[in-house]
Amino acid sequence: MVGAGLAPALGLISAEKKGKVDEFLALMKADIYNDLRNVSGCRRKRAMQQDTYGRGSQEKPAQPLLKVLVIEDEDNIVELIKLGLRYEGFQVESASDGLQGLSAAQRINPDMVILDLGLQPGGIDGLEVCRRLRINPTTQDLPILMLTARDEPRDRVLGLDTGADDYLTKPFSFEELVARIRAILRRQRRASGSLRGDGTNGNDNQVLQFGDLRLNMATREVTRAGRLIELTATEYNLLHLFMSHPRQVLDRQTILNRVWGYDFLGETNIIEVYVRYLREKIEDSPSTPRLIQTVRGVGYVLKG
């Protein structure tokens, strides 16, 4: 469960969320209704078919829809997210508390989870939900987008440290929510690999090596001096980018585009967080890194 030091912060999150909910809902409504005005008749028909199917009609969508599970305790926010994402072509399920969310994640096997950090007191908070999803073998690889009402670096890092793939600060625009979802899913597809008809991924015998650091693209195994290093999908993708461009300075925008799929820079420290994760796993001395070095004001470079 959450430590005593974090509990007051979560209380502030809840209070701030209540105070700003009307403004946030108005922003979400404006974004969603603007999007709906611009969608084609085909997309309108597809969303209507999904709603009809959900009420028991025998008419099914032409192809499986990507499933998104929303774990959020504000009903109005949930309904707006559902409305918008259904018009964007997603199947959306929701849970109003952490325990319901954990159960739903195992029951419906979603393609990704949108998780509110500041779930109401009385149950488990978003951080604990994220932890439990990550230690459960059936849900440990689920992409998680965490929503937070506070923009403090400590809150963002807490979510990422717990296992979230990305975070979004409230209030946010619906357009940015959709962009983050699509970026996470693209990253997940790249991590899964593109399988050939014989069940392999086409990367046989392809190995990247830098000094005693070795990355096997066929098995997705990483070793240093023969020692196996366990990496998450995002950590693997980031290291793969560095090892594909050794001794080349990679700026922040390039890293965001290639690893996270972002088309914008914005205010985010997600790169710094995952570089720290990598350093802790591959460096002899993470506090004085020799392999992944910071180029101040620019980005990072793999050198030694």
Side-chain angles (χ1 to χ4, degrees):
M1 293 297 291
V2 181
L6 182 58
L10 292 177
L12 288 174
I13 290 172
S14 179
E16 290 184 9
K17 179 170 62 176
K18 285 182 172 63
K20 295 181 179 180
V21 68
D22 289 340
E23 176 186 349
F24 179 36
L25 291 175
L27 174 64
M28 288 279 288
K29 284 182 180 178
D31 279 345
I32 291 172
Y33 292 153
N34 181 64
D35 184 62
L36 298 187
R37 283 195 295 269
N38 294 327
V39 296
S40 66
C42 178
R43 286 174 62 195
R44 287 178 183 270
K45 181 178 179 182
R46 178 180 61 190
M48 290 172 63
Q49 288 175 341
Q50 182 185 349
D51 288 340
T52 301
Y53 174 57
R55 291 192 296 268
S57 168
Q58 296 302 310
E59 183 178 8
K60 296 183 179 180
Q63 59 184 13
L65 301 176
L66 292 174
K67 288 182 289 186
V68 176
L69 172 62
V70 181
I71 307 176
E72 163 69 66
D73 55 13
E74 291 286 349
D75 292 340
N76 290 334
I77 294 176
V78 171
E79 290 308 311
L80 283 173
I81 291 177
K82 280 185 174 181
L83 174 65
L85 290 184
R86 282 173 175 168
Y87 272 97
E88 291 290 335
F90 293 94
Q91 178 182 341
V92 188
E93 301 288 342
S94 65
S96 59
D97 65 49
L99 292 177
Q100 289 181 16
L102 289 170
S103 176
Q106 295 188 76
R107 174 172 48 84
I108 69 174
N109 189 28
D111 293 286
M112 76 166 295
V113 173
I114 298 175
L115 173 62
D116 182 27
L117 171 65
L119 294 173
Q120 292 289 352
I124 59 175
D125 62 86
L127 289 176
E128 182 63 20
V129 173
C130 189
R131 288 190 188 99
R132 295 191 189 186
L133 288 172
R134 285 292 177 248
I135 64 176
N136 188 325
T138 64
T139 60
Q140 63 184 3
D141 294 325
L142 271 179
I144 300 173
L145 172 61
M146 188 166 280
L147 307 181
T148 174
R150 302 188 73 193
D151 195 24
E152 295 296 326
R154 185 173 76 102
D155 299 300
R156 299 195 300 264
V157 171
L158 275 172
L160 294 171
D161 278 342
T162 306
D165 295 272
D166 201 355
Y167 62 86
L168 195 54
T169 303
K170 299 178 183 178
F172 51 81
S173 72
F174 180 71
E175 181 181 14
E176 183 175 10
L177 173 66
V178 173
R180 295 289 183 100
I181 290 172
R182 296 197 187 284
I184 290 173
L185 292 174
R186 283 197 301 270
R187 186 162 76 245
Q188 185 76 358
R189 286 195 294 269
R190 287 200 300 267
S192 298
S194 178
L195 296 181
R196 297 189 308 223
D198 59 3
T200 64
N201 62 10
N203 286 324
D204 300 329
N205 301 319
Q206 293 191 29
V207 174
L208 298 177
Q209 185 147 358
F210 187 85
D212 59 359
L213 186 63
R214 183 181 178 90
L215 184 150
N216 188 314
M217 291 184 287
T219 63
R220 296 180 65 85
E221 289 184 344
V222 174
T223 60
R224 183 167 187 208
R227 175 178 59 89
L228 183 65
I229 300 173
E230 296 289 343
L231 299 179
T232 67
T234 301
E235 292 165 354
Y236 174 90
N237 290 339
L238 182 58
L239 182 61
H240 182 276
L241 176 63
F242 284 132
M243 294 188 69
S244 298
H245 301 83
R247 300 185 180 85
Q248 177 181 338
V249 176
L250 300 175
D251 61 62
R252 289 173 50 82
Q253 185 66 69
T254 297
I255 296 172
L256 280 173
N257 286 343
R258 297 288 297 277
V259 178
W260 281 271
Y262 291 0
D263 296 324
F264 53 91
L265 189 57
E267 293 295 329
T268 174
N269 67 341
I270 195 169
I271 299 175
E272 287 78 4
V273 170
Y274 274 93
V275 165
R276 174 165 60 85
Y277 291 165
L278 273 183
R279 284 171 171 168
E280 290 173 351
K281 293 183 177 182
I282 69 173
E283 296 278 4
D284 295 325
S285 176
S287 60
T288 55
R290 181 179 64 85
L291 293 173
I292 302 177
Q293 300 185 16
T294 302
V295 180
R296 294 191 179 278
V298 182
Y300 298 90
V301 59
L302 177 68
K303 61 188 297 186

